[in-house]
Amino acid sequence: MSSESKAMMIVPYEWILENIEEEPMTIASNMILFRGKRVFRVGLKNHALNPVLFLLAIDLDKIGMKVEDVMYGNPGSSFGLAKMWKMRNQDIGDEGSLQLFTITYPKKFIGKLEIMFRICIVGAHPGYPFNPSDRLAKDQLWAALKNQQYLTDVEFVVKDKTFPAHRAILAARSPVFAAEFEKVQSDVPQQIRIDNVEPSTVLNFLHFIYTGEPIGTFADEELLKLAAIYQLTILTGLCKLALKKRSAMQMAKVSKYLNSNAEDLSSSKIMPEKETEIFFDRTTPTFRCPWLLKKAEND
C-alpha cells in the first residue's frame, strides 16, 4: 500500500438538469465563467443507447492553467466520485487549447439529473505550478506599486502613462533589470521608457512581476516581447502557450467524437439558460490523497 498527497486547485461545479425529455437530444450549459473568463462547458449527449456526459475546457491556458483531470458523481451518492476519461492528444492533436473529458452511461436519462464535477486544475507551464497563495501579501505588494508614497524609485513611461515601481523587486525578478540598475545607482527615481507597447500591457507585465498572476490574459504578443526582452522565462513560456491558435481541425475532431453515435440528435437545449460561474478561494488549499492498493495474493 502507498499513498501520496500534494496541494491542488480543485474546483467544484454542480450541474442540475430539470425535466429531461424522452426525446434524444444534446443538452449543454452556457460557457461557464472561471476567474473572469468563459472557459468551461458541460453537456450531455442523451442518446437512447450509451449517453455521453462531457466537460470541455477551452482556452484555459490563456490564464496560465490547464485541467489535470475531472471527477464526477451524483450529490449524496454513497459511491463517491469517479474519474472522467480524458481525450488523448494523439486523438485530437496537441495544437490549440481544447481539453475534452467524457464518460459513457449505460442508458438514457429522463426526468431530473444532478451531476457534481470536481475539476483539478494545474499550471499550464512546468515552472508555473499551482500553490496556495497569501492573497493579503500579494494585494499589499501590488498596492505598494500603485501608491507612489511606498518608496518607489523607478518609473515606466509608456505613451502618456507613468507607472511607478521598485528597483529591488524588478531586479529580483529579471536579470536584465538587475544589470541595468547595477550600472546606474542614484537616489533620483530612474525612468524607463517603453515604446510601441500599450500601457495596459505594461500594467499586466508589472502585475505578473509583483504577484505572479496576470490581470487579464497571457495571450498578448506585446507581453511576450516584454517577457523575452527582460528574460522572464516563465512568463515567456506562458505567453507562448496562450498565443497558440485554436485549431479548426482539433475542434472538428472533438465534434466528431461527441457525435460518433449513429443516432441522430437533431434537437438541442441550453440548461441552465442563465450564466454560471465557478468560484475558488486561492487562500484555502485543497488536498487530494490517492490511495493505491497493489494486488496481493488474496486479491
Side-chain angles (χ1 to χ4, degrees), residues 86-95 98 250 253:
K86 181 179 180 180
M87 198 168 182
R88 298 166 299 179
N89 284 345
Q90 55 262 44
D91 295 324
I92 62 175
D94 55 6
E95 294 299 322
L98 295 177
Q250 189 185 36
K253 287 181 178 180

Side-chain angles (χ1 to χ4, degrees), residues 174-177 180 192-197 205 221-233 235-236:
S174 162
V176 176
F177 281 131
E180 288 184 6
I192 299 175
R193 183 171 296 277
I194 299 181
D195 299 318
N196 303 317
V197 175
F205 176 69
E221 292 279 3
E222 293 180 347
L223 184 61
L224 173 59
K225 291 177 183 177
L226 286 177
I229 290 171
Y230 292 102
Q231 296 180 21
L232 272 68
T233 306
L235 181 57
T236 300

Side-chain angles (χ1 to χ4, degrees), residues 44-53 103-109 261:
L44 174 67
K45 308 290 289 189
N46 203 24
H47 303 280
L49 183 65
N50 297 330
V52 177
L53 178 73
I103 194 70
T104 301
Y105 283 91
K107 62 180 182 179
K108 183 173 64 175
F109 291 97
N261 193 298

Side-chain angles (χ1 to χ4, degrees), residues 97-283:
S97 53
L98 295 177
Q99 288 184 280
L100 176 65
F101 298 81
T102 65
I103 194 70
T104 301
Y105 283 91
K107 62 180 182 179
K108 183 173 64 175
F109 291 97
I110 300 174
K112 184 176 181 178
L113 176 65
E114 296 183 32
I115 299 290
M116 175 60 72
F117 295 92
R118 289 284 188 272
I119 308 167
C120 177
I121 299 174
V122 296
H125 187 276
Y128 193 64
F130 165 71
N131 286 299
S133 62
D134 183 343
R135 293 303 314 172
L136 179 61
K138 286 191 175 186
D139 290 344
Q140 290 176 337
L141 195 60
W142 184 238
L145 176 141
K146 293 189 293 182
N147 190 332
Q148 296 189 34
Q149 296 178 355
Y150 280 74
L151 304 176
T152 56
D153 51 9
V154 64
E155 292 180 338
F156 288 85
V157 181
V158 191
K159 295 185 177 180
D160 59 341
K161 300 286 185 180
T162 301
F163 301 104
H166 304 81
R167 279 185 284 197
I169 293 175
L170 298 175
R173 297 282 272 164
S174 162
V176 176
F177 281 131
E180 288 184 6
F181 298 148
E182 186 69 25
K183 294 176 185 175
V184 181
Q185 296 189 9
S186 171
D187 294 332
V188 179
Q190 185 175 342
Q191 281 196 342
I192 299 175
R193 183 171 296 277
I194 299 181
D195 299 318
N196 303 317
V197 175
E198 291 300 316
S200 59
T201 297
V202 175
L203 187 64
N204 198 4
F205 176 69
L206 290 173
H207 191 272
F208 183 84
I209 286 177
Y210 275 72
T211 69
E213 299 173 353
I215 289 179
T217 174
F218 290 116
D220 184 335
E221 292 279 3
E222 293 180 347
L223 184 61
L224 173 59
K225 291 177 183 177
L226 286 177
I229 290 171
Y230 292 102
Q231 296 180 21
L232 272 68
T233 306
I234 293 176
L235 181 57
T236 300
L238 289 166
C239 288
K240 287 180 178 179
L241 284 171
L243 285 164
K244 279 187 176 181
K245 301 297 183 182
R246 193 186 307 162
S247 167
M249 182 66 71
Q250 189 185 36
M251 193 67 196
K253 287 181 178 180
V254 169
S255 179
K256 182 179 179 181
Y257 174 80
L258 289 176
N259 294 289
S260 59
N261 193 298
E263 184 179 25
D264 181 25
L265 298 182
S266 57
S267 59
S268 61
K269 181 183 292 187
I270 297 294
M271 192 182 299
E273 293 184 356
K274 66 177 182 179
E275 190 173 78
T276 56
E277 184 170 1
I278 294 174
F279 296 97
F280 179 71
D281 179 7
R282 293 201 63 179
T283 64

